Amino acid sequence: MDRARVGWWVMGFTLAGVLGYVIYSFIGTFIFGVFIYYAIRPVYRRLRTRIRPRTLAAAVSICVFALPALLLLAYALAIGLQELNAYLSAHPDSFEQLEVMLQPYIDVSSIVQDPQSILDSPDALAAVQQVLDAAQGYLGFLGGTALHAFMMLIIVFYLLRDDQRLASWFHRRFDDADGVVHAYAKRVDQDFSNIFFGNILNAVLTAAIGAISYSLLDYVAPAGVAIPYPALVGLLVGVASLVPVVGIKLVYVPVSLLLLFRASNAAPGAFWFPALFIGISFVVVDVVPDLVLRPYVSGRNLHLGMVMLAYIFGPLLFGWHGIFLGPMLLVLVVHFVRLVLPELLAGEPIEPHAVGVSLATTDTVQASLDDVADGERGEAGGED
């Protein structure tokens, strides 16, 4: 027995355990950072055709696209939590356990104001001062949130800037002669892009647009025809966008029927508001996110039912970050079963192609974003 080699193995497992513990302790931050990386990677790669330094292109991608989107999402969530609190307060006996679980976040969300209250305020400066005064009571929570956000953006920055170097190092160290590792990594990367940039980013963008749009729309609602909990309805629309085929119609169609019923019992001429609600829901909340993301997501390599189960069981098993971690585990398992498991069971050499019938929908094979990026890098050229 080579004692030196055994000692190095022990040290290696110890370091791997420490690294695993650090990642586990901040698993939500790491997972959300990976999501943002895949969400803005297409934008970064387009910027690289015009901004050659990788560092500058990554910084511009984060500051111009990621930060505004995160702030908009945080604001929409805060307003949605306030309206959820109002709903829970109106039904105290039905959702007592849920109210206790969400109370800390509801308390923090009270430091922001919805668009309607800001528009109603005669003094905008006084409204801002009120927000700052309320925030002083939650400095500890806000400081911790800011620390996690900073760590997350650092992860995103270095993944954007150095992803090619990291991929090259990985393939140099772990590629096999048959190219199975490269095929597995490439397919996982494609489906991560499809899930994070396609499905989840669409849900996040739809929820933010819906919450803000409905809150502003409710400001001009006639008496008796107001949208019930507008920001909360917007967040539910974002969640419903994950459902195949019907999508956000699961939410805005019943709300439209409710508004039509209220308009029929309100003053004459109030039907313009339900019509405006339907138009904004279809054009602004439904079509706009779809048009923005559809050019980048041309198909799916995963069965829709499996993806839906990952969205459902992920948060139940892992908490809020399970909505990202569940689909990630699904992708890793599916491609392991396609590429590696059949040959392992049969005792045959492992080949870099899927075995058996593919779960991909016919005529929806997605082109690799990496191939597109390679072409763009060839046009751009140059390094930092």
Side-chain angles (χ1 to χ4, degrees):
M1 179 181 296
D2 189 342
R3 294 184 178 181
R5 184 173 293 275
V6 172
W8 281 116
W9 273 111
V10 171
M11 182 176 180
F13 281 119
T14 302
L15 293 176
V18 172
L19 180 62
Y21 175 76
V22 172
I23 294 177
Y24 176 78
S25 301
F26 298 94
I27 184 66
T29 303
F30 280 97
I31 294 297
F32 201 64
V34 172
F35 158 65
I36 296 178
Y37 161 71
Y38 276 102
I40 67 173
R41 187 174 70 173
V43 176
Y44 165 77
R45 287 178 170 173
R46 286 191 177 275
L47 284 177
R48 282 281 294 129
T49 62
R50 302 183 180 275
I51 304 176
R52 293 197 174 186
R54 297 182 183 276
T55 301
L56 181 59
V60 170
S61 301
I62 292 174
C63 295
V64 176
F65 295 97
L67 278 179
L70 288 175
L71 293 174
L72 182 63
L73 176 63
Y75 181 77
L77 285 174
I79 300 301
L81 283 173
Q82 291 181 22
E83 296 192 352
L84 178 60
N85 183 46
Y87 178 80
L88 295 177
S89 300
H91 305 79
D93 299 328
S94 302
F95 304 95
E96 182 176 354
Q97 186 175 0
L98 178 62
E99 185 175 8
V100 171
M101 182 177 65
L102 295 177
Q103 194 60 49
Y105 304 99
I106 293 174
D107 292 340
V108 176
S109 71
S110 63
I111 67 177
V112 303
Q113 298 185 17
D114 61 88
Q116 183 172 346
S117 63
I118 295 176
L119 293 173
D120 289 338
S121 176
D123 189 352
L125 184 60
V128 173
Q129 183 63 42
Q130 181 180 354
V131 171
L132 294 177
D133 292 341
Q136 292 179 1
Y138 302 99
L139 289 179
F141 179 87
L142 295 176
T145 302
L147 177 61
H148 283 274
F150 177 75
M151 293 169 55
M152 178 182 62
L153 293 178
I154 289 296
I155 293 171
V156 175
F157 174 81
Y158 284 107
L159 283 177
L160 287 174
R161 197 190 70 171
D162 299 327
D163 55 353
Q164 295 178 34
R165 298 173 185 172
L166 180 62
S168 298
W169 171 85
F170 177 83
H171 290 305
R172 285 197 307 270
R173 292 291 182 270
F174 301 106
D175 261 357
D176 53 349
D178 296 323
V180 178
V181 173
H182 182 272
Y184 181 81
K186 188 170 185 178
R187 295 190 185 194
V188 167
D189 179 73
Q190 289 176 6
D191 280 333
F192 278 0
S193 298
N194 194 20
I195 286 177
F196 288 144
F197 187 77
N199 300 337
I200 298 182
L201 181 60
N202 179 73
V204 170
L205 185 62
T206 302
I209 292 176
I212 301 300
S213 299
Y214 292 155
S215 296
L216 293 174
L217 183 61
D218 193 57
Y219 181 70
V220 299
V225 199
I227 303 173
Y229 308 103
L232 183 59
V233 170
L235 296 181
L236 292 177
V237 161
V239 175
S241 68
L242 296 172
V243 179
V245 184
V246 290
I248 73 171
K249 298 176 183 63
L250 280 175
V251 176
Y252 84 74
V253 169
V255 174
S256 301
L257 295 176
L258 174 63
L259 294 180
L260 288 171
F261 175 77
R262 289 183 174 181
S264 65
N265 298 323
F271 284 98
W272 65 269
F273 184 74
L276 181 61
F277 174 83
I278 295 173
I280 289 181
S281 297
F282 178 75
V283 176
V284 178
V285 183
D286 193 358
V287 174
V288 169
D290 188 69
L291 289 178
V292 170
L293 299 179
R294 186 60 57 191
Y296 298 95
V297 185
S298 58
R300 290 185 175 89
N301 293 319
L302 298 174
H303 192 277
L304 285 177
M306 297 171 65
V307 175
M308 285 302 302
L309 290 176
Y311 287 141
I312 294 171
F313 288 113
L316 293 178
L317 292 174
F318 306 111
W320 68 267
H321 51 267
I323 195 171
F324 308 105
L325 185 57
M328 290 177 67
L329 294 177
L330 172 67
V331 170
L332 294 172
V333 170
V334 164
H335 288 297
F336 179 83
V337 172
R338 287 180 180 176
L339 289 172
V340 180
L341 185 60
E343 284 87 349
L344 287 179
L345 295 178
E348 299 175 355
I350 301 174
E351 301 291 341
H353 57 78
V355 175
V357 180
S358 174
L359 294 177
T361 306
T362 304
D363 297 329
T364 58
V365 179
Q366 177 182 341
S368 170
L369 290 177
D370 284 341
D371 295 338
V372 177
D374 290 340
E376 293 174 352
R377 287 194 295 271
E379 296 175 1
E383 293 289 340
D384 292 19

